[in-house]
């Protein structure tokens, strides 16, 4: 054992399975638990999502480590825990643990430096990480003290999620020593052992989760049943074939002299490469942002077909457009529910526990819909038809002249010849809403958002040819698009919440109905607020300064 291994931080805790939630809640709310007293009166509540990961060949598990990516709010942390455990005083469990910051999407090599990151890279190298299992938790915790010792007592309501479905639920009570002598835990352990609704947990959450995934029933497996090799085997079982890659630059590289078809091909190639780059993250399910970015990449390709599509033979390119539409539809079904769940989690983050629980039937239904949509998405990505489509599409975007409509020597066919009219036509499509904006309803404003999207892409795809002055124009159109997008998201959420209340009225308790109803009102107010405050972003796109700058930029071609 190296000197570094001797000095790794050690986690020391007592772990109990809870048979009766109410009894554990009384313990958490008590002023004293054994010799420990509450150090402050505040009880904190937070939602956690833990994704346990490994390489496809189980390198981390074979090395004796479990790696957890924990998301709480907008932060992601990586924890590397030793699978080997030792018993401490009073039946406490001791394990080496390293923690550090991580990124929601990036590979470990791109995470901020930390000892945890270094250990992952030591054993995983540059191999991508795949998900073993997900554990979602509602955690409530308090700080306890006894003399110089400090303990964090936490009550976790746990959902085990595999392949998009909840396969097990359980409740755990944990007491983690944060400061002081381990022997102080003996008296606390004796007090907790005396509670008839608690029993010592023989396994970690990861072991229990993998046992649930395996379909284990009855008593928990004995400690040690989860061998290092089992984690490795599980990792290998969930590994996916890596997606093909395209090598592209930092930008599409569209120039003013480019043939319009080849300019479009450059844009498609650039965003197809992005789409394929994010596919492994979508498959692994480590973070929702991978779905978002892959969806954005498909949207930009579809927009490129709209902007540049007239330069290609429709019959020869229909299969590429159809494949993008199907992929975007599957990604959108997952992403839209991710957005709703993230907004709902943010809304309930500071609510009392009772109010959070009141929203749970709604969120559980949305999670189920999201998990079902993810199953369909992965089925699409795994299909031979998708792989054939990707291979064919890569060949198309690499082959100059493929499926291009012939043009005569005097026909406008360069970016500098055709982009100005496309940009102004897109801008006219936005300005057309000026006469109805004051009383426009939400569907009309959603159509304005789509018009803004085509204006943005018409400028963005040729931004290198237009020059640096195009950047602030794109930023202003994006601000309008984002404002309208938030309004649409809030309106869709309100509509789905209203539908849920109507369809499940007979199944909900009075507190649940009231909590979900308050969330509906909150979303309706948000729609009204965003509709009322559209003026500044609208004027940013339709004002004299924007028009003059747009005219000057386009004239530069």
């Amino acid at each position: 054992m190296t000197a570094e291994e001797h000095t790794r931080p050690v986690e020391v805790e007592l772990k109990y399975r809870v048979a009766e939630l109410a009894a554990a809640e009384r313990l958490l709310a008590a002023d004293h638990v054994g010799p420990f007293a509450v150090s402050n009166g505040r009880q904190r509540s937070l939602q956690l999502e833990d994704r346990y990961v490994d390489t496809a060949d189980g390198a981390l598990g074979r090395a004796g480590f479990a790696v957890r990516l924990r998301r709480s709010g907008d932060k992601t942390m990586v924890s590397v825990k030793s699978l080997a455990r030792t018993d401490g005083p009073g039946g406490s469990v001791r394990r080496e643990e390293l923690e550090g910051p991580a990124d929601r999407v990036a590979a470990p090599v791109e995470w901020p430096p930390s000892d945890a990151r270094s250990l992952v890279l030591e054993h995983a190298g540059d191999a991508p990480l795949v998900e073993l299992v997900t554990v979602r938790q509602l955690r409530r915790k308090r700080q306890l003290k006894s003399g110089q010792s400090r303990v964090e007592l936490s009550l976790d309501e746990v959902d085990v999620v595999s392949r998009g479905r909840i396969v097990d639920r359980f409740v755990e009570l944990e007491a983690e020593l944060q400061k002081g002598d381990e022997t102080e835990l003996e008296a606390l352990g004796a007090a907790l052992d005396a509670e008839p609704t608690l029993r010592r947990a023989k396994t970690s959450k990861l072991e229990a989760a993998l046992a649930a995934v395996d379909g284990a029933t009855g008593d928990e497996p004995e400690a040690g049943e989860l061998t290092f090799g089992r984690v490795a085997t599980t990792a290998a079982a969930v590994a996916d074939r890596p997606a093909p890659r395209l090598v592209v630059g930092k930008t599409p590289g569209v120039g003013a002299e480019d043939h319009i078809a080849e300019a479009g091909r450059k844009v498609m190639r650039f965003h197809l490469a992005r789409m394929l780059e994010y596919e492994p993250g979508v498959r692994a399910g480590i973070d929702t942002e991978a779905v978002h970015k892959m969806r954005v990449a498909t949207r930009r390709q579809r927009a490129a077909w709209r902007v540049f599509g007239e330069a290609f033979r429709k019959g020869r390119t229909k299969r590429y457009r159809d494949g993008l539409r199907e992929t975007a539809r599957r990604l959108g079904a997952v992403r839209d529910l991710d957005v709703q769940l993230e907004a709902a989690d943010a809304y309930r983050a500071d609510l009392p526990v009772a109010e959070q629980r009141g929203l749970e039937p709604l969120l559980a239904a949305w999670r189920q819909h999201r998990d079902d949509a993810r199953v369909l998405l992965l089925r699409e990505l795994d299909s031979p038809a998708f792989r054939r489509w990707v291979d064919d599409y890569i060949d198309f975007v690499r082959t100059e002249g493929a499926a291009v409509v012939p043009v005569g020597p005097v026909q406008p066919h360069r970016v500098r010849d055709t982009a100005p009219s496309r940009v102004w036509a897109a801008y006219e499509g936005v300005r057309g809403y000026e006469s109805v904006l004051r009383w426009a309803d939400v569907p009309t404003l959603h159509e304005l958002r789509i018009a803004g999207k085509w204006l943005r892409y018409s400028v963005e795809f040729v931004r290198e040819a237009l020059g640096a002055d195009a950047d602030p124009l794109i930023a202003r159109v994006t601000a309008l698009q984002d404002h309208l997008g938030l309004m649409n998201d809030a309106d869709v959420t309100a509509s789905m919440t209203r539908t849920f209340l109507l369809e499940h009225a007979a199944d909900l308790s009075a507190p649940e109905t009231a909590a979900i109803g308050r969330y509906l009102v909150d979303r309706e107010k948000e729609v009204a607020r965003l509709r009322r405050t559209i003026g500044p972003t609208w004027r940013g796109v339709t004002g004299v300064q924007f028009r003059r700058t747009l005219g000057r930029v386009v004239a530069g071609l």
Side-chain angles (χ1 to χ4, degrees), residues 221-505:
E222 293 294 328
E225 276 191 18
L226 178 64
T227 62
F228 303 160
R230 179 177 172 187
V231 176
T233 301
T234 304
V238 300
D240 292 298
R241 182 170 72 90
R245 293 176 60 85
L246 275 171
V247 178
V248 295
K250 294 183 178 180
T251 64
V254 172
E257 295 297 326
D258 283 347
H259 188 293
I260 190 65
E262 301 314 317
R265 201 186 310 274
K266 286 181 178 180
V267 174
M268 294 170 200
R269 182 167 63 242
F270 180 82
H271 292 293
L272 175 59
R274 291 286 184 90
M275 187 189 92
L276 298 177
E277 177 185 350
Y278 297 124
E279 184 186 341
V282 171
R283 291 177 176 279
I286 292 175
D287 192 87
T288 60
E289 201 62 16
V291 173
H292 177 211
K293 291 183 176 181
M294 187 174 178
R295 185 193 191 192
V296 168
T298 60
R299 280 181 162 181
R300 279 174 164 76
Q301 290 173 81
R302 297 186 71 197
W305 278 106
R306 171 166 173 162
V307 172
F308 304 106
E310 64 188 34
F312 296 97
R313 296 168 61 181
K314 290 185 177 179
R316 291 278 304 278
T317 57
K318 182 177 183 298
R319 62 187 181 277
Y320 308 132
R321 300 193 302 273
D322 289 350
L324 280 171
R325 183 176 63 250
E326 181 63 19
T327 303
R329 185 172 70 87
R330 294 297 187 193
L331 288 163
V334 176
R335 176 58 186 169
D336 290 344
L337 286 159
D338 281 339
V339 170
Q340 290 174 235
L341 288 166
E342 288 170 5
D345 282 340
Y347 165 80
R348 70 174 186 166
D350 296 324
L351 295 177
V353 171
E355 188 78 352
Q356 291 189 28
R357 285 183 175 165
L359 288 169
E360 189 54 31
L362 174 68
L363 301 191
W366 287 354
R367 289 190 199 105
Q368 185 64 60
H369 291 322
R370 192 266 183 195
D371 293 338
D372 290 342
R374 174 171 164 76
V375 169
L376 295 175
L377 169 60
L378 294 182
R379 187 178 299 168
E380 169 71 17
L381 298 182
D382 287 336
S383 68
F386 178 78
R387 291 266 69 91
R388 288 193 300 270
W389 173 81
V390 168
D391 292 339
D392 196 13
Y393 194 23
I394 287 175
D395 185 66
F396 168 78
V397 299
R398 282 174 170 168
T399 307
E400 185 173 345
V404 174
V405 174
V407 295
V410 297
Q411 286 182 266
H413 61 275
R414 299 174 301 174
V415 167
R416 93 165 53 251
D417 304 328
T418 59
S421 59
R422 284 198 307 274
V423 169
W424 280 116
Y427 188 57
E428 290 168 3
V430 172
R431 287 289 300 275
Y433 287 83
E434 192 167 26
S435 61
V436 301
L437 188 69
R438 184 170 297 179
W439 56 80
D441 57 12
V442 173
T444 301
L445 292 175
H446 180 59
E447 293 173 4
L448 170 59
R449 180 194 177 200
I450 295 172
K453 183 189 305 182
W454 298 130
L455 172 60
R456 172 187 170 185
Y457 290 148
S458 295
V459 177
E460 187 175 272
F461 289 160
V462 295
R463 68 192 305 170
E464 293 166 87
L466 294 174
D469 286 346
D471 291 343
L473 299 177
I474 295 169
R476 291 192 177 193
V477 178
T478 301
L480 175 63
Q481 189 181 338
D482 289 346
H483 187 102
L484 294 170
L486 290 172
M487 185 182 65
N488 183 69
D489 290 342
D491 183 64
V492 170
T493 299
S495 177
M496 292 187 67
T497 304
R498 190 180 302 109
T499 299
F500 181 87
L501 283 170
L502 290 172
E503 292 179 350
H504 298 271

Side-chain angles (χ1 to χ4, degrees), residues 502-519:
L502 290 172
E503 292 179 350
H504 298 271
D507 305 322
L508 299 172
S509 67
E512 289 170 343
T513 300
I516 296 171
R518 283 188 285 271
Y519 184 52

